[in-house]
Amino acid sequence: MTRFTSNPVGKSVPRVDVYDKLTGIALFADDIQFGPNMYYARLVRSTHAHALIKRIVTSKALEVPGVKAVVTGQDAPELVGMYLVDRPVLAGERVRYYGEPVAGVIATSEAIAEEATRLVEVEYEELPAVFGPMESIQPDAPLLHPDLGKYKVAAFIFPEPGTNISEHFKLRKGDVESAWPRCAAIVEMTFSLPQIQHVPLEPHVSVALWEPSGQVTLWTSTQSPHAQRDLIAQSLNIPHGNLRVLSPYVGGGFGGKAGVTMEACAVVLARAVKGHPVKLRLTREEEFVGTTMRQSLVAHTRIGCDAEGNLLAMETAYYFGGGAYNDYGVNIVRAAGYSCSGPYCIPNIKGDSYCVYTNLPIGGPMRGFGMPEIHWGIEQIMDQLAEKIGMDPAEFRRRNCVKTGDIILTGMKMPAIDPVACIDKVTEAINWGKRPREEEPSAPHKKRGKGIAIMWKAPAMPPNPGSSAVVRFNEDATVILEIGAQELGQGAFTVAAQMAAQALGVPYEWVRVSAPIDTKYSPYEWQTVASRITWSMGNAIKAAAEDARRQILEIVADHWGEDPQDLDIKDGKVISYRSEEEQPLQNMVVYGLPNENFEGWKGGPIVGRGKFMPTYVTNLDFETGQGPRAVVHYTVGAQAVDLEVDTETGQVEILKIASAYDVGKAINPDLVLAQIDGGAVHGMSSVFEALRFDEKGRPLNRSLVDYRIATAVDVPQEIHGDFVETPLEDGPWGARGVGEHVMVPTAPAIANAINDALGIRFNDLPLSAEKIFLALEEVKRETSNVKRETSNVKREAWT
């Protein structure tokens, strides 16, 4: 990467990465990898949240020495999208959010490209804008996508053309209206959450090369190499065989590098300067507007139970602020709809989940995929229902949570799970219902509280996302494992190697996972999303390893004149349980084994192939959301929090977070616990994160100075992780995913703990010390007013 440092007069100068002593030529890292013909790109971004583009003048920018081309939406009219193809690569006729790219400048250096972007003149006609989902659904709201009815859309997504609603999922079960009179307790509340950002340490960066021959190569940091190839190829009319996507290790994803964000821009810009690699790198400030965000949400939820604590009815409406384009967000909203009850058995449900266009940055996938948002309200209501009927909140959840074999809200039979065991583990870990002396507040002005929340999440994906794997051997019997799943820091490659070694019967140290992921050579993998990799990729790896194992055993059985059923592979050797013979794998897995007297050979290079795709997910009825199999499975879990609140400042200190999740089978227990630790901190961070905008839709805190995320200072004194192992019927060795689930219940568990400490409910995120302090002050004023009124009444009575 070409880096810039400041010289004494404050101008940017390139830093030399390599200096060739023989030639005296300074080389940069980009030159070494991509050659000296590499160009750099910067984007011209909209200065309005909603406007028509009347005119773009590029002549001044093109006059800048070093500028090679300027590309506008007129040069790139294509749309791109995952489930709803609604997003232009570069805005053409109108812009729909502040910061939307309207043009790209290509130059010989990033500094020149940046300078030239300031010379591109864009004339706008500003239009009325809407920034919240409730505002956007009003009949008189400006229509943001007049062509909604013309967009290509997945068969299971249902936009409402002529409105700003890009998806409406309906869930109807039982008779809600007849159930309300039977309820002994009803809680009805409105909750809201803001847009938040993924904040990966590595920003988005892509290099694209469009060769004169028509071959296109994209180097990019992505969770979705194969899906990205598919979407960009479809959008830009490139034959799939002509588009190659390479992706190294990803420096933080969390959903923000799933699907397509800025990568299509790099390809379109490269099309304008064929034969030259073009590098497009987003700055930290651009990360906050130029990629996807977690969607905002307004939730109106009403839940009731009987006097014994049995849930009877639920009615909820979720309004997700999907931002300017909803190509991925529509499926998040669908997932929230078919999971709208949370992890509870409720016989009567009416649920509506809406994805709504707004003039804010694009809403998209983020860790949890809609589940942290809906659980924020559900889990607080469960606490309040328990309080109303005088039941312990943990016991209330044990009574009502989904269990193995239950028929859940969509009509699907629940696969094997054990949420009660998760509840038991976390309540024990924080001494639930007890307050020993050592847990007393640390000062007179501080108050302690404990809270609990449970969760569920299914892999939210199309019904047929596939995985594939290839197992090959070297001569020394070391294994080359080829997969298409991506390493994001979650340990996917480690688990992949473990599963291959286990299924083959060789030491783990013998397995090498091929990287980087390259769509030209790597086997197909839909995306590294949805916490599906251990499960889906794992099944494909297991199948590939078993295929290779079968070939090896058949060759050796034939060589020994034995039955393959009597053979096994242990520690890299084929052994016979009948004759007790041994055959090392070295050499034979490539060269085979000789016949008697070396009269010919049998075998040859062993190559195992495996694939997996769920075949049993069914459609859901459009009007009711009912169907035999809505999803492949659910992962469930629980989290409990012990915290302390300073009543003089509103500052909250998380003392302990205890978490437990049913993972089916922990392939790597250390990695599971690492996910639990990281997820707890990530979930805690989401409590005080928020993207803020002014009245024109301009972001106010697009830097790590102003955008608050959890740091080492905020980490709880203790994070206790645990897991339950209830085998999943179609998981490899019974395993299911746990990557996203670990942050889902954190925010409501904290809110419930704050309420336990202070007796104050917070319906809206973010939470801050100031917000809590002001709420405490309001309680003091109300208490003072009540005392004053009571005193006046007594005085009047005495008089």
Side-chain angles (χ1 to χ4, degrees), residues 190-228:
T190 297
F191 301 89
S192 68
L193 300 91
Q195 279 194 331
I196 64 174
Q197 229 285 325
H198 308 80
V199 198
L201 287 180
E202 171 204 45
H204 284 67
V205 59
S206 295
V207 176
L209 171 63
W210 195 304
E211 300 182 47
S213 65
Q215 293 292 321
V216 181
T217 305
L218 175 65
W219 294 264
T220 187
S221 175
T222 178
Q223 298 175 229
S224 315
H226 286 93
Q228 209 165 85

mmCIF file of all heavy atoms in Angstrom, residues 190-228:
data_model
loop_
_atom_site.group_PDB
_atom_site.id
_atom_site.type_symbol
_atom_site.label_atom_id
_atom_site.label_comp_id
_atom_site.label_asym_id
_atom_site.label_seq_id
_atom_site.Cartn_x
_atom_site.Cartn_y
_atom_site.Cartn_z
ATOM 1 N N THR A 190 -43.434 0.599 23.237
ATOM 2 C CA THR A 190 -42.760 0.936 21.985
ATOM 3 C C THR A 190 -41.269 1.071 22.269
ATOM 4 O O THR A 190 -40.867 1.725 23.236
ATOM 5 C CB THR A 190 -43.301 2.248 21.406
ATOM 6 O OG1 THR A 190 -44.689 2.081 21.090
ATOM 7 C CG2 THR A 190 -42.550 2.626 20.126
ATOM 8 N N PHE A 191 -40.474 0.426 21.441
ATOM 9 C CA PHE A 191 -39.022 0.434 21.602
ATOM 10 C C PHE A 191 -38.379 0.953 20.313
ATOM 11 O O PHE A 191 -38.938 0.800 19.228
ATOM 12 C CB PHE A 191 -38.493 -0.976 21.882
ATOM 13 C CG PHE A 191 -39.056 -1.610 23.114
ATOM 14 C CD1 PHE A 191 -40.229 -2.357 23.064
ATOM 15 C CD2 PHE A 191 -38.415 -1.470 24.335
ATOM 16 C CE1 PHE A 191 -40.748 -2.948 24.201
ATOM 17 C CE2 PHE A 191 -38.926 -2.054 25.472
ATOM 18 C CZ PHE A 191 -40.094 -2.791 25.410
ATOM 19 N N SER A 192 -37.199 1.543 20.444
ATOM 20 C CA SER A 192 -36.496 2.000 19.247
ATOM 21 C C SER A 192 -34.998 1.804 19.393
ATOM 22 O O SER A 192 -34.460 1.830 20.500
ATOM 23 C CB SER A 192 -36.803 3.470 18.963
ATOM 24 O OG SER A 192 -36.239 4.309 19.947
ATOM 25 N N LEU A 193 -34.358 1.593 18.243
ATOM 26 C CA LEU A 193 -32.904 1.453 18.175
ATOM 27 C C LEU A 193 -32.402 2.254 16.986
ATOM 28 O O LEU A 193 -33.071 2.310 15.939
ATOM 29 C CB LEU A 193 -32.482 -0.012 18.002
ATOM 30 C CG LEU A 193 -32.894 -1.012 19.074
ATOM 31 C CD1 LEU A 193 -34.234 -1.652 18.728
ATOM 32 C CD2 LEU A 193 -31.841 -2.111 19.218
ATOM 33 N N PRO A 194 -31.214 2.865 17.081
ATOM 34 C CA PRO A 194 -30.686 3.657 15.975
ATOM 35 C C PRO A 194 -29.863 2.810 15.016
ATOM 36 O O PRO A 194 -29.568 1.637 15.280
ATOM 37 C CB PRO A 194 -29.786 4.659 16.704
ATOM 38 C CG PRO A 194 -29.220 3.847 17.843
ATOM 39 C CD PRO A 194 -30.330 2.908 18.265
ATOM 40 N N GLN A 195 -29.482 3.390 13.898
ATOM 41 C CA GLN A 195 -28.479 2.766 13.046
ATOM 42 C C GLN A 195 -27.145 2.724 13.793
ATOM 43 O O GLN A 195 -26.792 3.674 14.500
ATOM 44 C CB GLN A 195 -28.289 3.560 11.752
ATOM 45 C CG GLN A 195 -29.313 3.296 10.678
ATOM 46 C CD GLN A 195 -28.872 3.853 9.325
ATOM 47 O OE1 GLN A 195 -28.148 4.837 9.251
ATOM 48 N NE2 GLN A 195 -29.316 3.232 8.251
ATOM 49 N N ILE A 196 -26.415 1.609 13.642
ATOM 50 C CA ILE A 196 -25.055 1.545 14.175
ATOM 51 C C ILE A 196 -24.140 0.948 13.118
ATOM 52 O O ILE A 196 -24.596 0.328 12.146
ATOM 53 C CB ILE A 196 -24.966 0.748 15.497
ATOM 54 C CG1 ILE A 196 -25.329 -0.728 15.294
ATOM 55 C CG2 ILE A 196 -25.845 1.372 16.565
ATOM 56 C CD1 ILE A 196 -25.123 -1.572 16.548
ATOM 57 N N GLN A 197 -22.838 1.135 13.301
ATOM 58 C CA GLN A 197 -21.847 0.733 12.303
ATOM 59 C C GLN A 197 -21.055 -0.478 12.774
ATOM 60 O O GLN A 197 -20.929 -0.730 13.965
ATOM 61 C CB GLN A 197 -20.899 1.905 12.032
ATOM 62 C CG GLN A 197 -20.692 2.226 10.554
ATOM 63 C CD GLN A 197 -19.803 1.236 9.838
ATOM 64 O OE1 GLN A 197 -18.862 0.704 10.403
ATOM 65 N NE2 GLN A 197 -20.080 0.997 8.564
ATOM 66 N N HIS A 198 -20.497 -1.220 11.812
ATOM 67 C CA HIS A 198 -19.719 -2.411 12.135
ATOM 68 C C HIS A 198 -18.349 -2.059 12.709
ATOM 69 O O HIS A 198 -17.804 -2.809 13.516
ATOM 70 C CB HIS A 198 -19.518 -3.259 10.875
ATOM 71 C CG HIS A 198 -20.795 -3.557 10.140
ATOM 72 N ND1 HIS A 198 -21.388 -2.652 9.291
ATOM 73 C CD2 HIS A 198 -21.591 -4.651 10.143
ATOM 74 C CE1 HIS A 198 -22.489 -3.176 8.789
ATOM 75 N NE2 HIS A 198 -22.645 -4.387 9.288
ATOM 76 N N VAL A 199 -17.758 -0.982 12.260
ATOM 77 C CA VAL A 199 -16.452 -0.492 12.682
ATOM 78 C C VAL A 199 -15.384 -1.590 12.593
ATOM 79 O O VAL A 199 -14.726 -1.916 13.580
ATOM 80 C CB VAL A 199 -16.499 0.100 14.111
ATOM 81 C CG1 VAL A 199 -15.282 0.982 14.354
ATOM 82 C CG2 VAL A 199 -17.759 0.917 14.345
ATOM 83 N N PRO A 200 -15.179 -2.174 11.417
ATOM 84 C CA PRO A 200 -14.056 -3.112 11.287
ATOM 85 C C PRO A 200 -12.742 -2.352 11.367
ATOM 86 O O PRO A 200 -12.643 -1.211 10.915
ATOM 87 C CB PRO A 200 -14.265 -3.714 9.893
ATOM 88 C CG PRO A 200 -14.967 -2.629 9.140
ATOM 89 C CD PRO A 200 -15.863 -1.946 10.137
ATOM 90 N N LEU A 201 -11.723 -2.963 11.932
ATOM 91 C CA LEU A 201 -10.419 -2.299 11.979
ATOM 92 C C LEU A 201 -9.878 -2.057 10.573
ATOM 93 O O LEU A 201 -9.255 -1.035 10.300
ATOM 94 C CB LEU A 201 -9.426 -3.136 12.784
ATOM 95 C CG LEU A 201 -9.629 -3.146 14.297
ATOM 96 C CD1 LEU A 201 -8.570 -4.021 14.956
ATOM 97 C CD2 LEU A 201 -9.572 -1.740 14.870
ATOM 98 N N GLU A 202 -10.128 -2.998 9.679
ATOM 99 C CA GLU A 202 -9.709 -2.842 8.288
ATOM 100 C C GLU A 202 -10.865 -2.230 7.500
ATOM 101 O O GLU A 202 -11.928 -2.821 7.392
ATOM 102 C CB GLU A 202 -9.367 -4.208 7.697
ATOM 103 C CG GLU A 202 -9.127 -4.204 6.203
ATOM 104 C CD GLU A 202 -9.359 -5.569 5.579
ATOM 105 O OE1 GLU A 202 -10.367 -6.221 5.900
ATOM 106 O OE2 GLU A 202 -8.531 -5.977 4.746
ATOM 107 N N PRO A 203 -10.681 -1.042 6.920
ATOM 108 C CA PRO A 203 -11.752 -0.478 6.095
ATOM 109 C C PRO A 203 -11.913 -1.252 4.797
ATOM 110 O O PRO A 203 -11.090 -2.106 4.449
ATOM 111 C CB PRO A 203 -11.273 0.958 5.831
ATOM 112 C CG PRO A 203 -9.790 0.874 5.951
ATOM 113 C CD PRO A 203 -9.506 -0.175 6.993
ATOM 114 N N HIS A 204 -12.978 -0.951 4.060
ATOM 115 C CA HIS A 204 -13.206 -1.609 2.778
ATOM 116 C C HIS A 204 -12.145 -1.165 1.775
ATOM 117 O O HIS A 204 -11.824 0.020 1.661
ATOM 118 C CB HIS A 204 -14.583 -1.244 2.226
ATOM 119 C CG HIS A 204 -15.713 -1.955 2.908
ATOM 120 N ND1 HIS A 204 -16.047 -1.734 4.222
ATOM 121 C CD2 HIS A 204 -16.587 -2.896 2.440
ATOM 122 C CE1 HIS A 204 -17.072 -2.501 4.546
ATOM 123 N NE2 HIS A 204 -17.419 -3.208 3.486
ATOM 124 N N VAL A 205 -11.618 -2.121 1.014
ATOM 125 C CA VAL A 205 -10.634 -1.811 -0.017
ATOM 126 C C VAL A 205 -10.743 -2.858 -1.114
ATOM 127 O O VAL A 205 -10.934 -4.046 -0.838
ATOM 128 C CB VAL A 205 -9.204 -1.746 0.563
ATOM 129 C CG1 VAL A 205 -8.823 -3.066 1.213
ATOM 130 C CG2 VAL A 205 -8.194 -1.358 -0.499
ATOM 131 N N SER A 206 -10.668 -2.403 -2.361
ATOM 132 C CA SER A 206 -10.746 -3.309 -3.503
ATOM 133 C C SER A 206 -9.780 -2.853 -4.586
ATOM 134 O O SER A 206 -9.521 -1.654 -4.745
ATOM 135 C CB SER A 206 -12.166 -3.328 -4.093
ATOM 136 O OG SER A 206 -13.103 -3.863 -3.184
ATOM 137 N N VAL A 207 -9.271 -3.823 -5.326
ATOM 138 C CA VAL A 207 -8.497 -3.553 -6.534
ATOM 139 C C VAL A 207 -9.146 -4.349 -7.659
ATOM 140 O O VAL A 207 -9.354 -5.564 -7.528
ATOM 141 C CB VAL A 207 -7.021 -3.966 -6.382
ATOM 142 C CG1 VAL A 207 -6.265 -3.754 -7.702
ATOM 143 C CG2 VAL A 207 -6.354 -3.199 -5.253
ATOM 144 N N ALA A 208 -9.490 -3.658 -8.744
ATOM 145 C CA ALA A 208 -10.149 -4.326 -9.869
ATOM 146 C C ALA A 208 -9.313 -4.139 -11.128
ATOM 147 O O ALA A 208 -8.738 -3.064 -11.362
ATOM 148 C CB ALA A 208 -11.548 -3.767 -10.077
ATOM 149 N N LEU A 209 -9.281 -5.177 -11.939
ATOM 150 C CA LEU A 209 -8.580 -5.141 -13.223
ATOM 151 C C LEU A 209 -9.522 -5.673 -14.296
ATOM 152 O O LEU A 209 -9.964 -6.820 -14.222
ATOM 153 C CB LEU A 209 -7.310 -5.987 -13.161
ATOM 154 C CG LEU A 209 -6.586 -6.228 -14.503
ATOM 155 C CD1 LEU A 209 -6.093 -4.916 -15.096
ATOM 156 C CD2 LEU A 209 -5.431 -7.209 -14.316
ATOM 157 N N TRP A 210 -9.836 -4.816 -15.271
ATOM 158 C CA TRP A 210 -10.657 -5.224 -16.408
ATOM 159 C C TRP A 210 -9.729 -5.276 -17.620
ATOM 160 O O TRP A 210 -9.270 -4.253 -18.124
ATOM 161 C CB TRP A 210 -11.781 -4.223 -16.646
ATOM 162 C CG TRP A 210 -12.865 -4.723 -17.556
ATOM 163 C CD1 TRP A 210 -12.708 -5.194 -18.824
ATOM 164 C CD2 TRP A 210 -14.275 -4.802 -17.272
ATOM 165 N NE1 TRP A 210 -13.918 -5.569 -19.350
ATOM 166 C CE2 TRP A 210 -14.902 -5.329 -18.423
ATOM 167 C CE3 TRP A 210 -15.053 -4.465 -16.174
ATOM 168 C CZ2 TRP A 210 -16.278 -5.532 -18.505
ATOM 169 C CZ3 TRP A 210 -16.424 -4.666 -16.258
ATOM 170 C CH2 TRP A 210 -17.036 -5.195 -17.394
ATOM 171 N N GLU A 211 -9.406 -6.462 -18.057
ATOM 172 C CA GLU A 211 -8.455 -6.623 -19.153
ATOM 173 C C GLU A 211 -9.143 -6.424 -20.499
ATOM 174 O O GLU A 211 -10.348 -6.663 -20.626
ATOM 175 C CB GLU A 211 -7.814 -8.014 -19.078
ATOM 176 C CG GLU A 211 -7.050 -8.247 -17.778
ATOM 177 C CD GLU A 211 -6.390 -9.607 -17.737
ATOM 178 O OE1 GLU A 211 -5.750 -9.958 -18.746
ATOM 179 O OE2 GLU A 211 -6.491 -10.297 -16.715
ATOM 180 N N PRO A 212 -8.403 -5.993 -21.505
ATOM 181 C CA PRO A 212 -8.996 -5.817 -22.841
ATOM 182 C C PRO A 212 -9.666 -7.086 -23.368
ATOM 183 O O PRO A 212 -10.601 -7.006 -24.166
ATOM 184 C CB PRO A 212 -7.786 -5.420 -23.702
ATOM 185 C CG PRO A 212 -6.830 -4.776 -22.743
ATOM 186 C CD PRO A 212 -6.989 -5.544 -21.456
ATOM 187 N N SER A 213 -9.205 -8.244 -22.916
ATOM 188 C CA SER A 213 -9.787 -9.514 -23.354
ATOM 189 C C SER A 213 -11.175 -9.753 -22.780
ATOM 190 O O SER A 213 -11.884 -10.666 -23.222
ATOM 191 C CB SER A 213 -8.874 -10.669 -22.932
ATOM 192 O OG SER A 213 -8.815 -10.759 -21.503
ATOM 193 N N GLY A 214 -11.564 -8.965 -21.775
ATOM 194 C CA GLY A 214 -12.849 -9.175 -21.117
ATOM 195 C C GLY A 214 -12.748 -9.913 -19.800
ATOM 196 O O GLY A 214 -13.736 -10.040 -19.073
ATOM 197 N N GLN A 215 -11.540 -10.394 -19.475
ATOM 198 C CA GLN A 215 -11.340 -11.026 -18.179
ATOM 199 C C GLN A 215 -11.304 -9.946 -17.092
ATOM 200 O O GLN A 215 -10.653 -8.912 -17.260
ATOM 201 C CB GLN A 215 -10.039 -11.814 -18.163
ATOM 202 C CG GLN A 215 -10.031 -13.039 -19.076
ATOM 203 C CD GLN A 215 -10.973 -14.128 -18.591
ATOM 204 O OE1 GLN A 215 -11.094 -14.373 -17.397
ATOM 205 N NE2 GLN A 215 -11.659 -14.778 -19.522
ATOM 206 N N VAL A 216 -11.989 -10.207 -15.981
ATOM 207 C CA VAL A 216 -12.064 -9.240 -14.888
ATOM 208 C C VAL A 216 -11.617 -9.920 -13.606
ATOM 209 O O VAL A 216 -12.083 -11.026 -13.291
ATOM 210 C CB VAL A 216 -13.501 -8.689 -14.714
ATOM 211 C CG1 VAL A 216 -13.539 -7.661 -13.587
ATOM 212 C CG2 VAL A 216 -14.003 -8.072 -16.016
ATOM 213 N N THR A 217 -10.718 -9.252 -12.872
ATOM 214 C CA THR A 217 -10.244 -9.784 -11.604
ATOM 215 C C THR A 217 -10.490 -8.741 -10.525
ATOM 216 O O THR A 217 -10.196 -7.554 -10.722
ATOM 217 C CB THR A 217 -8.750 -10.123 -11.655
ATOM 218 O OG1 THR A 217 -8.512 -11.020 -12.735
ATOM 219 C CG2 THR A 217 -8.295 -10.775 -10.353
ATOM 220 N N LEU A 218 -11.017 -9.196 -9.402
ATOM 221 C CA LEU A 218 -11.308 -8.310 -8.272
ATOM 222 C C LEU A 218 -10.625 -8.864 -7.034
ATOM 223 O O LEU A 218 -10.896 -9.990 -6.615
ATOM 224 C CB LEU A 218 -12.822 -8.226 -8.046
ATOM 225 C CG LEU A 218 -13.304 -7.432 -6.833
ATOM 226 C CD1 LEU A 218 -12.951 -5.958 -6.959
ATOM 227 C CD2 LEU A 218 -14.815 -7.607 -6.649
ATOM 228 N N TRP A 219 -9.690 -8.083 -6.484
ATOM 229 C CA TRP A 219 -9.075 -8.417 -5.214
ATOM 230 C C TRP A 219 -9.797 -7.593 -4.145
ATOM 231 O O TRP A 219 -9.855 -6.354 -4.243
ATOM 232 C CB TRP A 219 -7.599 -8.048 -5.195
ATOM 233 C CG TRP A 219 -6.734 -8.822 -6.135
ATOM 234 C CD1 TRP A 219 -5.993 -9.929 -5.857
ATOM 235 C CD2 TRP A 219 -6.460 -8.515 -7.520
ATOM 236 N NE1 TRP A 219 -5.291 -10.337 -6.961
ATOM 237 C CE2 TRP A 219 -5.557 -9.490 -7.996
ATOM 238 C CE3 TRP A 219 -6.910 -7.506 -8.400
ATOM 239 C CZ2 TRP A 219 -5.083 -9.488 -9.313
ATOM 240 C CZ3 TRP A 219 -6.445 -7.503 -9.703
ATOM 241 C CH2 TRP A 219 -5.548 -8.481 -10.153
ATOM 242 N N THR A 220 -10.331 -8.244 -3.118
ATOM 243 C CA THR A 220 -11.132 -7.481 -2.163
ATOM 244 C C THR A 220 -11.224 -8.201 -0.834
ATOM 245 O O THR A 220 -11.081 -9.422 -0.754
ATOM 246 C CB THR A 220 -12.546 -7.221 -2.726
ATOM 247 O OG1 THR A 220 -13.255 -6.335 -1.865
ATOM 248 C CG2 THR A 220 -13.325 -8.516 -2.872
ATOM 249 N N SER A 221 -11.461 -7.448 0.196
ATOM 250 C CA SER A 221 -11.684 -8.004 1.531
ATOM 251 C C SER A 221 -13.177 -8.228 1.694
ATOM 252 O O SER A 221 -13.943 -7.283 1.867
ATOM 253 C CB SER A 221 -11.171 -7.017 2.589
ATOM 254 O OG SER A 221 -11.471 -7.484 3.881
ATOM 255 N N THR A 222 -13.597 -9.480 1.633
ATOM 256 C CA THR A 222 -15.030 -9.762 1.596
ATOM 257 C C THR A 222 -15.378 -11.053 2.316
ATOM 258 O O THR A 222 -14.573 -11.988 2.378
ATOM 259 C CB THR A 222 -15.532 -9.846 0.138
ATOM 260 O OG1 THR A 222 -16.933 -10.167 0.126
ATOM 261 C CG2 THR A 222 -14.788 -10.923 -0.643
ATOM 262 N N GLN A 223 -16.584 -11.104 2.841
ATOM 263 C CA GLN A 223 -17.129 -12.324 3.412
ATOM 264 C C GLN A 223 -17.783 -13.190 2.338
ATOM 265 O O GLN A 223 -18.193 -14.306 2.631
ATOM 266 C CB GLN A 223 -18.188 -11.972 4.472
ATOM 267 C CG GLN A 223 -17.664 -11.189 5.651
ATOM 268 C CD GLN A 223 -18.756 -10.750 6.602
ATOM 269 O OE1 GLN A 223 -18.823 -9.601 6.978
ATOM 270 N NE2 GLN A 223 -19.641 -11.660 7.018
ATOM 271 N N SER A 224 -17.896 -12.674 1.117
ATOM 272 C CA SER A 224 -18.760 -13.303 0.115
ATOM 273 C C SER A 224 -18.114 -13.393 -1.260
ATOM 274 O O SER A 224 -18.668 -12.860 -2.238
ATOM 275 C CB SER A 224 -20.065 -12.500 0.010
ATOM 276 O OG SER A 224 -20.588 -12.164 1.270
ATOM 277 N N PRO A 225 -16.954 -14.030 -1.401
ATOM 278 C CA PRO A 225 -16.321 -14.048 -2.730
ATOM 279 C C PRO A 225 -17.215 -14.605 -3.838
ATOM 280 O O PRO A 225 -17.322 -14.006 -4.913
ATOM 281 C CB PRO A 225 -15.089 -14.935 -2.503
ATOM 282 C CG PRO A 225 -14.790 -14.820 -1.047
ATOM 283 C CD PRO A 225 -16.128 -14.690 -0.381
ATOM 284 N N HIS A 226 -17.857 -15.735 -3.591
ATOM 285 C CA HIS A 226 -18.675 -16.338 -4.648
ATOM 286 C C HIS A 226 -19.971 -15.564 -4.882
ATOM 287 O O HIS A 226 -20.380 -15.358 -6.034
ATOM 288 C CB HIS A 226 -18.971 -17.801 -4.313
ATOM 289 C CG HIS A 226 -17.795 -18.712 -4.500
ATOM 290 N ND1 HIS A 226 -16.922 -19.028 -3.469
ATOM 291 C CD2 HIS A 226 -17.328 -19.344 -5.602
ATOM 292 C CE1 HIS A 226 -15.977 -19.831 -3.927
ATOM 293 N NE2 HIS A 226 -16.194 -20.045 -5.214
ATOM 294 N N ALA A 227 -20.620 -15.128 -3.819
ATOM 295 C CA ALA A 227 -21.828 -14.330 -3.993
ATOM 296 C C ALA A 227 -21.512 -13.007 -4.667
ATOM 297 O O ALA A 227 -22.287 -12.505 -5.493
ATOM 298 C CB ALA A 227 -22.501 -14.088 -2.644
ATOM 299 N N GLN A 228 -20.365 -12.431 -4.324
ATOM 300 C CA GLN A 228 -19.965 -11.169 -4.944
ATOM 301 C C GLN A 228 -19.724 -11.363 -6.436
ATOM 302 O O GLN A 228 -20.141 -10.533 -7.262
ATOM 303 C CB GLN A 228 -18.710 -10.655 -4.254
ATOM 304 C CG GLN A 228 -18.567 -9.155 -4.276
ATOM 305 C CD GLN A 228 -17.528 -8.696 -3.275
ATOM 306 O OE1 GLN A 228 -16.342 -8.689 -3.592
ATOM 307 N NE2 GLN A 228 -17.951 -8.321 -2.092
#
